[in-house]
Amino acid sequence: MGVTVTIEEQDAYLARVGRAGMLMLPMITGIGEQVRAWADELAAEGITALAWDPFKGRSTDNVTREELGGLARELDDEVALAEQAALVDYMFGELGCSKVGVIGYCLGGRFALLLAARDHRLANVVAFHPTVPSQRPPHHTYDAIAEATGIAAPVLVSYPSADTAVPNADFEALQTVLQARPTGATFAQYFPGADHGFSDKGRHDKEVNAAAYRLAWPQALAFMRTTTS
């Protein structure tokens, strides 16, 4: 089981086991029970996991998704990316990780792409159903699709065809950008009929989402093991 740690005045959830590491960027749930379980699962697989807290202690454990949605619309790209960079520094420094990748879900998937475009120390990027609509809302300072061209690391992106937050055309645009990079392999997972956020176990009452996650996760785990070993 992991623990809460304080790093440069921000709290994060740490499940520590070794020198391979993944920075985890949560979805709208914040560091709720689901995200902590994923971090603990990574640790059980031999990968140290450190989870960024986008909502400063608020999560589905203690507030509603509607409230968290409001907080998500207040996130500042520059502030969030600076916090995430500090966590990467901590993983390489205090935790002594030899390789660090980043995995993000939904809003965290978008930040994973943005962070990796800036920090070429990262060994991989895993983006589950990243929220990267081409029609950007006001709080999206940066265009994650356009900026993905700057990612040097291998990328695995997982997309559900019934994603109402990100049209299929935007996923195709992201794929085009990623595949045009001069370095860094691109792995795509595409799940017909699955919904945005299909990895969230709260959506697994719908079999198409549960089936997508059962297939997606082992491949993502193998990718993370390979790129951080």
Side-chain angles (χ1 to χ4, degrees):
M1 296 293 290
V3 297
T4 298
V5 295
T6 301
I7 303 157
E8 294 188 9
E9 300 183 355
Q10 62 170 317
D11 287 342
Y13 183 80
L14 173 64
R16 183 180 185 183
V17 289
R19 299 189 68 193
M22 291 296 298
L23 175 65
M24 182 173 286
L25 307 181
M27 50 193 169
I28 195 68
T29 60
I31 307 183
E33 180 182 1
Q34 168 77 94
V35 171
R36 296 195 304 274
W38 280 331
D40 292 342
E41 185 174 353
L42 282 180
E45 295 290 341
I47 300 173
T48 289
L50 184 67
W52 170 61
D53 185 357
F55 306 128
K56 307 301 175 280
R58 287 163 290 188
S59 73
T60 45
D61 290 350
N62 51 37
V63 298
T64 67
R65 283 180 181 256
E66 289 72 24
E67 290 174 276
L68 294 171
L71 293 173
R73 290 187 289 274
E74 295 173 4
L75 286 174
D76 180 275
D77 280 355
E78 292 287 5
V79 172
L81 289 165
E83 291 176 349
Q84 295 156 17
L87 298 183
V88 174
D89 290 343
Y90 180 81
M91 295 183 81
F92 280 118
E94 295 297 321
L95 297 184
C97 291
S98 55
K99 290 187 179 181
V100 174
V102 60
I103 179 170
Y105 307 81
C106 301
L107 71 88
R110 173 178 176 268
F111 277 120
L113 296 168
L114 291 174
L115 182 65
R118 289 158 173 73
D119 193 335
H120 289 178
R121 294 175 299 171
L122 293 171
N124 66 46
V125 184
V126 180
F128 271 95
H129 33 78
T131 308
V132 290
S134 58
Q135 297 298 313
R136 289 182 289 144
H139 65 287
H140 283 193
T141 303
Y142 297 110
D143 182 342
I145 295 175
E147 298 225 359
T149 190
I151 300 172
V155 176
L156 185 154
V157 60
S158 188
Y159 180 79
S161 77
D163 194 327
T164 57
V166 181
N168 272 255
D170 292 343
F171 171 68
E172 291 167 3
L174 175 62
Q175 284 294 96
T176 298
V177 168
L178 289 172
Q179 291 168 11
R181 295 176 298 146
T183 60
T186 301
F187 298 84
Q189 300 177 332
Y190 186 83
F191 298 102
D195 298 316
H196 184 75
F198 73 82
S199 57
D200 187 345
K201 289 178 178 141
R203 296 182 182 270
H204 290 183
D205 55 336
K206 193 171 178 179
E207 177 56 26
V208 68
N209 293 331
Y213 185 70
R214 285 196 300 269
L215 187 57
W217 181 245
Q219 297 180 65
L221 189 57
F223 174 74
M224 289 184 279
R225 283 201 202 98
T226 300
T227 50
T228 60
S229 63

